[in-house]
Amino acid sequence: MSANKGLIKNDENPVSHPVCHPELVSGSQTRPGRRSRNQFGMTGGAWMTGGHGSDVLFSDERFMDIALEEALIAASEGEVPVGAVAVAGDEVIARGHNLRESLCDPTAHAEMIVIREASGKLGKWRLTDLTLYVTIEPCAMCAGAIVLARIPRVVFGAEDPKAGAGGSLFQILQEPALNHRVELVSGVNEDKCRSIMKDFFVNRRLKCITRTV
């Protein structure tokens, strides 16, 4: 069985449970969308109709662009270029990027920075109204924090086959044994997210080679 079962790819069709999403009309297939699994692990055969699916996709891409801005800031600071944004409705609550090198803190991943900032601003640790956007699939630590914060929805750009805990290596975000499961969307602005990461490590290798010559 594939580890990525239940993960929504940006170029796939959405399916959500009609009880949880009454705006979805079962049986209508007039408009393609993306498949989805909600936080309860339930799937259905409903399809998004009208302009709702394209509106969601537009919003996801728009907020992922902000996360990409943060990733570029991280790269300029010599940090691994990962950016994240926490959004409530249409409002950016918190944004940040990887700060492990700057803070000498192994836990200072972009997601952790944003979760802490959002909790502080909202004055609560249950972040049940937020969507978290991150350029790279969350690791096990960040996935655990997302579950503990009760974040209902996570959108990430590129998969991380070496450390991803959203289905690539582990599936913590939708682990049935845990008391919270996250709706996942992947592949939003995927090429940009992957390119920033690839360019960063290529440039770092070149600098290492230059120093040794």
Side-chain angles (χ1 to χ4, degrees):
M1 182 179 294
S2 171
N4 288 323
K5 185 177 181 182
L7 189 68
I8 319 163
K9 289 292 290 183
N10 182 43
D11 55 356
E12 292 178 356
N13 295 323
V15 179
S16 283
H17 200 274
V19 173
C20 300
H21 297 275
E23 72 276 13
L24 305 186
V25 181
S26 181
S28 173
Q29 298 189 15
T30 58
R31 185 181 187 90
R34 295 165 298 161
R35 284 206 172 268
S36 112
R37 173 171 292 194
N38 64 27
Q39 62 265 45
F40 303 106
M42 298 184 295
T43 58
W47 289 83
M48 287 185 177
T49 58
H52 186 78
S54 60
D55 290 345
V56 171
L57 177 57
F58 173 75
S59 294
D60 286 348
E61 291 178 342
R62 178 161 60 94
F63 290 122
M64 188 61 76
D65 281 340
I66 298 174
L68 282 162
E69 291 174 5
E70 290 291 334
L72 288 171
I73 295 172
S76 71
E77 296 173 350
E79 300 277 0
V80 174
V82 180
V85 180
V87 176
D90 233 11
E91 180 184 358
V92 173
I93 302 299
R95 55 187 289 176
H97 54 270
N98 193 8
L99 289 172
R100 286 189 305 175
E101 303 298 332
S102 302
L103 300 179
C104 296
D105 181 356
T107 71
H109 289 195
E111 301 96 318
M112 302 295 287
I113 298 295
V114 167
I115 288 171
R116 289 175 185 138
E117 183 179 337
S119 294
K121 284 186 176 180
L122 297 175
K124 59 182 182 178
W125 63 266
R126 290 184 179 89
L127 304 179
T128 54
D129 300 321
L130 298 187
T131 294
L132 180 66
Y133 294 84
V134 58
T135 55
I136 301 296
E137 181 180 358
C139 69
M141 173 185 69
C142 294
I146 289 166
V147 170
L148 291 173
R150 307 295 192 267
I151 294 173
R153 185 170 184 262
V154 170
V155 180
F156 66 84
E159 296 176 349
D160 184 353
K162 294 184 177 180
S168 292
L169 187 61
F170 311 105
Q171 184 46 285
I172 293 175
L173 294 174
Q174 293 185 331
E175 169 54 52
L178 298 177
N179 64 351
H180 177 74
R181 290 195 287 277
V182 180
E183 181 180 341
L184 290 174
V185 178
S186 73
V188 175
N189 293 351
E190 182 176 8
D191 291 342
K192 293 179 183 178
C193 295
R194 184 180 290 113
S195 178
I196 289 175
M197 187 71 75
K198 181 180 177 181
D199 290 347
F200 174 81
F201 284 107
V202 167
N203 290 333
R204 191 158 79 171
R205 290 189 198 100
L206 289 174
K207 287 179 181 178
C208 290
I209 292 171
T210 302
R211 288 197 204 100
T212 58
V213 172

